[in-house]
Amino acid sequence: MLIELHPQADLRALKRTLQSMGLWTRELRPAGPPRPGAQLLIEPGSRAYAVEELRALPGVAAVWTQPSPHPRLDAQGPVVQLKDVAIGGPRPVLLAGPCSVESEAQIHEAAAFAAAAGARVLRGGAFKPRTSPYAFQGAGLDALRWLRQAADAHDLRVVTEVMAESHAEAVADAADLLQIGARNMQNFALLHVIGRLGKPALLKRGLAATLDEWLLAAE
């Protein structure tokens, strides 16, 4: 983002104002004929502000921005709606439940505990990625049914992980929020399928992935 100042603007005062707002700037001195007003480049790591807020500051003539690399994500906004549960609003939302759905009785008991503790969303893995091929891999489609029934019994929403394209529609039928694990953050074939299902996604940041890579995976 680039801020252009009026010729008579107080450069030092504006830089102090921007710094107090959490914006780090660097003055640009472009080659060629001098421009009438100074130019300040906002450095990465600065806080996010709406362009309109910056344009309203004393001494600012114009604010220039580049098109966002993730316009769909920007358009989504901060709030995600799971039926009547708003995630990202003024109140925090608790998602709770076991890592793995092991039995019908277990998930019903977990749902009761979660609801009593104030949770709004029941989590639990129907399909589980495990490091060892000999570890429990999840109860699969049965677990999806148990999750949905347990959540409905306690007025909860459901979040569970999608691990494979072949299971995506079945998971979407049972869940309100589709989790993509860190191992699958850049599984683009799976991401394309999830994007077409019309359900919100909980996208975990992959191992060693940059923030830009994470945001673009969401896009």
Side-chain angles (χ1 to χ4, degrees), residues 193-204:
V193 170
I194 297 302
R196 290 193 293 265
L197 291 175
K199 289 285 183 78
L202 170 61
L203 181 67
K204 288 192 173 183

Side-chain angles (χ1 to χ4, degrees), residues 47-183:
R47 288 187 62 185
Y49 279 92
V51 171
E52 292 73 19
E53 294 181 78
L54 300 179
R55 286 183 180 143
L57 294 175
V60 173
V63 178
W64 308 98
T65 61
Q66 291 183 330
S68 171
H70 38 74
R72 290 181 178 179
L73 194 60
D74 295 341
Q76 162 60 48
V79 178
V80 174
Q81 202 73 33
L82 306 184
K83 297 181 179 177
D84 60 334
V85 177
I87 296 179
R91 300 187 59 168
V93 176
L94 180 63
L95 296 78
C99 175
S100 176
V101 179
E102 298 175 5
S103 70
E104 186 174 6
Q106 174 236 25
I107 195 61
H108 275 271
E109 185 176 3
F113 277 120
R120 300 300 310 280
V121 183
L122 177 64
R123 72 176 285 260
F127 302 93
K128 289 303 301 178
R130 301 293 193 191
T131 301
S132 169
Y134 307 111
F136 178 62
Q137 304 289 314
L141 297 178
D142 286 338
L144 290 177
R145 177 168 49 83
W146 300 336
L147 262 172
R148 185 72 265 171
Q149 291 172 348
D152 289 344
H154 297 279
D155 193 26
L156 299 171
R157 309 298 158 252
V158 170
V159 57
T160 190
E161 183 171 353
V162 185
M163 287 186 56
E165 298 167 58
S166 57
H167 299 143
E169 290 192 11
V171 175
D173 286 342
D176 304 290
L177 181 62
L178 309 180
Q179 178 178 316
I180 307 298
R183 292 174 173 90

